[in-house]
């Protein structure tokens, strides 16, 4: 079995106190740092002209190149294959193929979060189907009637 490690059981080495730097150390430091700096390397091939341009011009040319690439990719992307679109007639035909009872049962499920006013829009397309599902409460009827603006007194 291993014994537990205790740091206090090991003696510490004494560290020498810090001494002052030589008197000319800070005078010679910038020259020593600059002497270690690597020499600039020459650009290979035809890229030497790039280094001769001012920094602002190089930045603007790089920005124009990136922007041109973006515009070209966007422009060329428009001519690619379009997403398949479904015509309104095909969608209506597919919806007409669903039986009304199944459609109403789907819309009346608890997770649909529909109320009577949402289902009332179906009556515009197929009059007479409201008898199967549209049973508003008296409070819903009063709220719907109160929310409508009536300018003439004969409608009140």
């Amino acid at each position: 079995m291993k014994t537990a490690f205790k740091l206090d059981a090991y003696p510490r080495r004494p560290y020498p106190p810090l001494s002052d730097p030589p008197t000319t150390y800070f005078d010679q430091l910038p020259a020593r740092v600059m002497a270690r700096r690597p020499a600039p390397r020459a650009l290979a091939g035809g890229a030497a002209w790039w280094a001769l341009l001012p920094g602002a011009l190089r930045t603007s040319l790089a920005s124009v190149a990136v922007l041109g690439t973006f515009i070209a990719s966007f422009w060329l992307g428009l001519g690619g294959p379009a997403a398949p679109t479904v015509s309104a007639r095909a969608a209506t035909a597919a919806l007409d193929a669903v039986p009304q009872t199944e459609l109403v049962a789907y819309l009346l499920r608890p997770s649909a979060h529909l109320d009577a006013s949402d289902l009332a829009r179906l009556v515009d397309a197929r009059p007479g189907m409201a008898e199967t599902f549209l049973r508003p409460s008296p409070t819903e009827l009063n709220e719907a009637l109160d929310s409508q603006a009536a300018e003439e007194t004969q409608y009140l």
Side-chain angles (χ1 to χ4, degrees):
M1 183 168 154
K2 284 184 155 183
T3 58
F5 177 79
K6 294 182 181 177
L7 186 60
D8 294 334
Y10 297 93
R12 294 182 181 177
R13 290 183 282 167
Y15 289 104
L18 294 175
S19 61
D20 292 332
T23 56
T24 59
Y25 178 76
F26 289 107
D27 295 334
Q28 297 172 354
L29 183 63
R32 289 172 48 193
V33 170
M34 293 303 289
R36 277 192 267 164
R37 191 172 125 192
R41 54 189 178 133
L43 295 175
W49 64 271
W50 184 257
L52 298 176
L53 296 176
L57 185 60
R58 285 189 297 207
T59 303
S60 62
L61 286 176
S63 300
V64 167
V66 170
L67 183 62
T69 304
F70 173 73
I71 290 173
S73 65
F74 182 72
W75 188 267
L76 294 175
L78 291 178
T85 57
V86 178
S87 68
R89 290 181 184 168
T92 305
L95 192 57
D96 286 339
V98 177
Q100 283 187 356
T101 55
E102 187 177 336
L103 179 64
V104 170
Y106 175 76
L107 293 174
L108 288 176
R109 73 188 193 285
S111 62
H113 302 294
L114 296 173
D115 59 355
S117 63
D118 292 329
L119 294 175
R121 294 180 186 150
L122 294 174
V123 178
D124 293 339
R126 296 186 181 127
M129 72 180 285
E131 291 84 21
T132 60
F133 65 86
L134 192 59
R135 295 185 187 98
S137 67
T139 57
E140 286 179 336
L141 283 175
N142 287 334
E143 287 176 5
L145 290 174
D146 290 340
S147 66
Q148 294 179 359
E151 295 178 9
E152 297 181 23
T153 56
Q154 67 182 358
Y155 295 120
L156 295 177

